[in-house]
Every structure is written in structure tokens, then in C-alpha cells.
Amino acid sequence: MILPIIAYGDPVLRKTGIDIDINYPDLQKLIADMFETMNNAKGIGLAAHQVGKSIRLFIVDGSSYEDDEEYPELHGFKKVFINARILEENGEAWGYSEGCLSIPKIRENVNRLPTIRIKYCDEHFVAHEDTFTGIPARIIQHEYDHIDGKLFVDRIKPLRRTLLKSRLNDISKGNVDINYKMKFPLKK
Ligand code: NI
């Protein structure tokens, strides 16, 4: 089932996500719905916050880049992260133009460190500890921010953020042209 994606300005996007356990109600259905919702919106990552649930769950899927020779590291990069904790971030910060399904039509340069070590549970609650680097790490860092109640626009230069203010406000009101279902906090 395709769920509406929560737009910028909704307080749920600012909540710190709580850990869940295997008894979380309808977890497998939620994960399946999140994949469907993300693929429908042509996203490569989605956090539970973006469908209205402030829990430590996010998914990634680089399948739509499967044929893109620029990103071979995204081949087969499809994962579920539950109760994730980034243990370490290393390397020299690099910039990349990020976007977000909750903040449509805006892309901004964000600096992040290239390599992360992260522990998490998969959809079967099997524990993992893995290292990711480059674009996969970037996608995880972006989604991980969501489960901590942060957004990529928090990480851009204050002047850029000021310049974006009215466009962000328009998104909250639903004044944005998109081809997927969203829920806007200030839509009249
Ligand atoms: Ni996002």
C-alpha cells in the first residue's frame, strides 16, 4: 500500500526515533509499504518518520540506479535498518547534492564524512555491524538523520537556508508540483 509521504514542516519529522522490538505491530507490513511508497516516489531511501512514525527504522534501495554506470556500488544495495546506531564516521568530508522525498524539488550541497561503521538489525531482527563508504554511506547518513529528527537542510549554510525559506514554507503548505502522494502540515 502506498502511504502519503509527510512533507517538510510536520513536527513528526523532528522527533527523535525510538527503538522498536520484534513485536512492533504489523512491522513486516510497514516495511513492505515503505518499499512500495519509496519506489513509487522514485526514492532511494525512506525513514519511518516520513510515513508518520517516529521509530528507528529506515530502508534503502539503490535498484533504480541498477543500470547507472556511475554508481556501481548501488547494485544490490537494498536493506532494512532497525535500531541503527552509527558507531564511527571517518575520512575527509565531501560534498554531494542531496534531496529528500519530504522536501521535493530542492537539492543542496551537503558535506559528510565518506566512511561509516554502523550497527543495526535487519527486518528479521538479526544484528549486523557493517562498514559503508561513498554513496551507500551517504544514503545511510541521510536516512539516519531522519531517525534522529534531522533533515539535510539543517546541514547547509545558514545563508542558503535563509534563501530557501519561502520555498520550504510553500512545501509545508502543499504549493509544490509532485507526482506522488504527500501529506502537507499547513495545507488548508
Ligand atoms: Ni530524506
Side-chain angles (χ1 to χ4, degrees), residues 45-47 50 98-103 142-143 146 150-152:
L46 187 73
Q50 294 176 277
E98 293 189 21
C100 180
L101 294 177
S102 293
I103 312 174
H142 176 112
E143 298 313 321
H146 277 297
K150 292 185 205 141
L151 299 168
F152 80 91

Side-chain angles (χ1 to χ4, degrees), residues 13 29 37 86 104 147 173:
L13 296 177
K29 160 98 172 109
T37 301
I86 289 180
I147 65 169
K173 290 181 191 155

Side-chain angles (χ1 to χ4, degrees), residues 10-96:
D10 192 302
V12 74
L13 296 177
R14 294 308 191 175
K15 288 191 177 156
T16 303
I18 54 164
D19 284 332
I20 58 170
D21 64 28
I22 202 159
N23 298 315
Y24 187 82
D26 297 319
L27 179 61
Q28 298 310 320
K29 160 98 172 109
L30 173 62
I31 291 169
D33 287 348
M34 283 174 64
F35 273 110
E36 196 181 341
T37 301
M38 178 179 69
N39 294 334
N40 174 65
K42 309 235 177 318
I44 49 174
L46 187 73
H49 286 62
Q50 294 176 277
V51 294
K53 296 185 189 306
S54 50
I55 56 175
R56 298 188 80 80
L57 161 65
F58 62 88
I59 60 169
V60 298
D61 186 359
S63 303
S64 53
Y65 287 83
E66 203 78 23
D67 303 322
D68 195 327
E69 314 233 318
E70 205 185 333
Y71 300 110
E73 63 269 55
L74 289 180
H75 291 189
F77 182 61
K78 182 176 178 182
K79 282 176 172 298
V80 175
F81 292 82
I82 295 171
N83 301 343
R85 293 287 186 286
I86 289 180
L87 304 171
E88 274 183 69
E89 293 183 285
N90 293 300
E92 207 168 304
W94 66 297
Y96 186 82

Side-chain angles (χ1 to χ4, degrees), residues 128-143:
H128 298 265
E129 197 178 309
D130 291 327
T131 299
F132 295 93
T133 192
I135 289 288
R138 163 83 51 173
I139 297 168
I140 292 168
Q141 287 163 317
H142 176 112
E143 298 313 321

